[in-house]
Amino acid sequence: MKPSTITGFLIRYHRLKQNISQEGLCKGICVVSYLSKIEQGIVCASDEIIHQLFHALKLTYHDDADFLAQAKQTLYDYFEKYFMQEENIQEANEIQKHREELLCSPLCVETLLACAFMKFIVHHFDPTAIEKEQQELTVFEPMMSDEQHFLYHYVCSIHPDFETRLMHLKKAGNYISCSPQRYMLGYRYYEKGFHDEALEYMNQAYSLACEEGNVHVMMDAVLIIGNCYCNNYNEKLMCHYYRIADRIARSLKKQDIHYTIQYNLGSTYLQWKQYDKAKAYLLASLHNEIFDQILTYQKLALVSFELNEHKEMKHYLEQADQLIDKEPSLSDMNDFVHCYCSNNIQEEHYLKLLEKLSSDTSFPYGFQKFYALYLFEAYMKRRRYKDALALSVKFRFDFPDKC
């Protein structure tokens, strides 16, 4: 796309932002029909007319070659580091520093995209936070390059609606197919519990990441693959992919991933009622993060209860209780563990806790399923077979034929 064509869309962008009509903007400069053609990219106006139109907008058009060359490199580095999961704070600060000049330059689209990505990072679960940038970018859609279209749909994939997320991620892949796009597509399926689809895209992400040299996506993809095999009850493949993820994590000095894997294994073996294995992995997962400590102590209490190690169970409950005020979002989980370890599973409060925990979408699918398994048992003991069947369908686990 020629700079002059981009400039036409840029004029339209700023005119609409200021709520100025075409007639009001071009008065004394050119006729309305000519401005319309400029804004559509049909004609290439002279530098004189472009600068006059920007002056009418009370703006300065920045087209200095050295400024644009340096800014273009900064924008490229920002996105390159973002997708390689490298620190790009310096680039982000530089873009923000020159934001106003860049929004009045041929690099306006890339700048709006970068600003949307910055909000994507800070407000990852708040789609309204980047809505303004998304709306402003729609003005430029007709003239976007493949790279810009990819970035536009990628950042638009932060949306509360599952199907809308998938639509934007798939559209992004129509322009550029790369490991981060495949990973995010797989992750969207994974967080909803569609593990077969997640496995398909995560394997694609891993393969592409190997070709690209994107070791962070390699690690993240095989970690999710391991998680999927947890949920598919395939111990051999679960352990295989967790080993690969752990090796990559060691090379990247990502100790947190090692702890995550140990916790996932411990939690999985707890669900599979292999309590000795569960205990060993959970103990190996303990580290300094308060949130993770509480979860681990809760699981260790459950394991100790099943192993009839009541002294240890009491110790782990006390450890979780001492920390729970620092993470109130885990208080319902703590109440559940106390009920279970006190054999108060016939109480209505116990059932209500499990119904809440198994439907709490603020936590990942795997968390919900963990508590759904306990809820399933509670429904069965109460002979609420229809509720148990509905739960088994939702979370895709076996329902006894005899019921």
Side-chain angles (χ1 to χ4, degrees):
M1 187 67 63
K2 295 179 180 179
S4 53
T5 306
I6 296 171
T7 306
F9 280 89
L10 186 56
I11 290 168
R12 180 171 182 263
Y13 164 72
H14 285 290
R15 179 177 64 76
L16 293 174
K17 278 189 72 175
Q18 296 183 33
N19 197 26
I20 300 174
S21 66
Q22 287 184 325
E23 292 87 350
L25 178 63
C26 67
K27 186 176 181 180
I29 301 173
C30 63
V31 297
V32 173
S33 60
Y34 191 66
L35 174 60
S36 180
K37 290 178 181 178
I38 293 172
E39 290 186 349
Q40 294 176 65
I42 296 173
V43 299
C44 299
S46 66
D47 289 345
E48 182 182 355
I49 288 179
I50 294 298
H51 284 281
Q52 285 179 354
L53 289 169
F54 269 91
H55 181 73
L57 288 164
K58 297 181 174 59
L59 297 170
T60 301
Y61 181 54
H62 295 274
D63 57 352
D64 177 75
D66 291 337
F67 169 75
L68 292 178
Q70 185 174 350
K72 188 174 183 179
Q73 184 63 50
T74 300
L75 286 158
Y76 174 85
D77 291 342
Y78 173 83
F79 287 114
E80 171 75 6
K81 290 182 178 181
Y82 174 88
F83 286 107
M84 295 297 290
Q85 298 184 37
E86 298 173 12
E87 187 177 288
N88 58 4
I89 295 174
Q90 182 178 340
E91 288 78 12
N93 289 339
E94 191 68 17
I95 293 165
Q96 290 287 11
K97 179 181 176 181
H98 296 286
R99 186 177 189 272
E100 296 309 314
E101 299 101 299
L102 289 167
L103 290 179
C104 293
S105 80
L107 296 174
C108 178
V109 180
E110 291 88 341
T111 303
L112 284 172
L113 285 163
C115 291
F117 269 76
M118 290 175 203
K119 287 191 177 180
F120 180 86
I121 296 168
V122 176
H123 304 283
H124 193 72
F125 298 105
D126 183 10
T128 59
I130 61 169
E131 187 176 350
K132 181 182 176 183
E133 277 80 1
Q134 290 176 358
Q135 289 176 346
E136 291 182 350
L137 280 161
T138 58
V139 174
F140 296 95
E141 267 201 278
M143 50 70 60
M144 285 184 182
S145 65
D146 284 355
E147 291 81 2
Q148 291 167 346
H149 267 118
F150 166 81
L151 294 170
Y152 171 73
H153 286 294
Y154 191 94
V155 79
C156 284
S157 70
I158 177 171
H159 195 281
D161 179 64
F162 174 66
E163 294 299 332
T164 303
R165 289 181 179 185
L166 293 183
M167 176 196 72
H168 280 295
L169 283 168
K170 288 178 179 179
K171 281 187 175 181
N174 290 337
Y175 292 102
I176 297 176
S177 182
C178 60
S179 63
Q181 178 263 341
R182 281 319 202 223
Y183 172 81
M184 288 303 297
L185 195 51
Y187 191 80
R188 294 310 180 200
Y189 279 111
Y190 168 74
E191 67 181 357
K192 287 292 184 180
F194 298 114
H195 297 119
D196 290 341
E197 292 86 350
L199 281 169
E200 177 185 350
Y201 287 111
M202 286 300 173
N203 276 299
Q204 291 176 18
Y206 180 74
S207 179
L208 285 168
C210 290
E211 294 177 15
E212 298 161 2
N214 195 330
V215 289
H216 286 280
V217 173
M218 289 168 60
M219 178 186 67
D220 292 342
V222 290
L223 178 61
I224 298 298
I225 291 171
N227 291 350
C228 288
Y229 284 121
C230 285
N231 287 281
N232 289 350
Y233 304 100
N234 190 322
E235 183 178 13
K236 182 178 179 180
L237 288 175
M238 172 187 74
C239 293
H240 171 71
Y241 283 101
Y242 276 158
R243 278 195 296 272
I244 296 174
D246 207 14
R247 288 168 184 162
I248 300 173
R250 285 203 309 272
S251 69
L252 293 173
K253 295 180 171 55
K254 297 280 287 183
Q255 185 68 12
D256 58 317
I257 298 298
H258 171 76
Y259 291 129
T260 296
I261 291 169
Q262 302 305 302
Y263 173 82
N264 288 352
L265 285 166
S267 185
T268 299
Y269 282 120
L270 171 57
Q271 292 180 62
W272 294 353
K273 303 185 186 304
Q274 297 183 38
Y275 302 120
D276 288 320
K277 278 188 175 182
K279 183 178 180 181
Y281 282 113
L282 288 168
L283 286 171
S285 75
L286 276 170
H287 61 294
N288 294 328
E289 293 293 330
I290 301 296
F291 185 92
D292 297 330
Q293 279 189 53
I294 296 171
L295 288 175
T296 304
Y297 285 132
Q298 290 171 350
K299 298 295 191 302
L300 281 167
L302 293 170
V303 168
S304 298
F305 174 82
E306 301 293 354
L307 292 171
N308 292 315
E309 298 172 349
H310 296 292
K311 185 178 179 180
E312 290 189 38
M313 177 197 76
K314 184 179 179 181
H315 167 73
Y316 295 131
L317 286 173
E318 289 173 350
Q319 293 296 312
D321 290 343
Q322 289 174 15
L323 298 171
I324 199 65
D325 287 343
K326 297 179 180 179
E327 288 291 347
S329 63
L330 302 179
S331 58
D332 285 335
M333 298 178 186
N334 223 45
D335 288 348
F336 153 73
V337 176
H338 274 282
C339 285
Y340 190 86
C341 293
S342 301
N343 267 323
N344 293 331
I345 60 176
Q346 296 302 322
E347 294 182 2
E348 192 65 19
H349 176 63
Y350 174 78
L351 194 68
K352 294 298 182 185
L353 278 172
L354 286 173
E355 287 175 339
K356 182 179 179 181
L357 289 167
S358 62
S359 60
D360 188 348
T361 55
S362 65
F363 287 100
Y365 172 86
F367 277 68
Q368 297 172 56
K369 185 175 181 179
F370 179 87
Y371 297 100
L373 290 166
Y374 286 93
L375 179 59
F376 178 82
E377 292 179 358
Y379 281 149
M380 294 295 289
K381 286 179 181 178
R382 288 165 172 75
R383 298 186 178 182
R384 290 174 56 173
Y385 299 131
K386 286 185 179 180
D387 291 329
L389 177 59
L391 198 67
S392 70
V393 170
K394 178 181 177 181
F395 288 97
R396 295 180 287 281
F397 47 74
D398 294 335
F399 185 79
D401 292 337
K402 65 181 180 179
C403 297

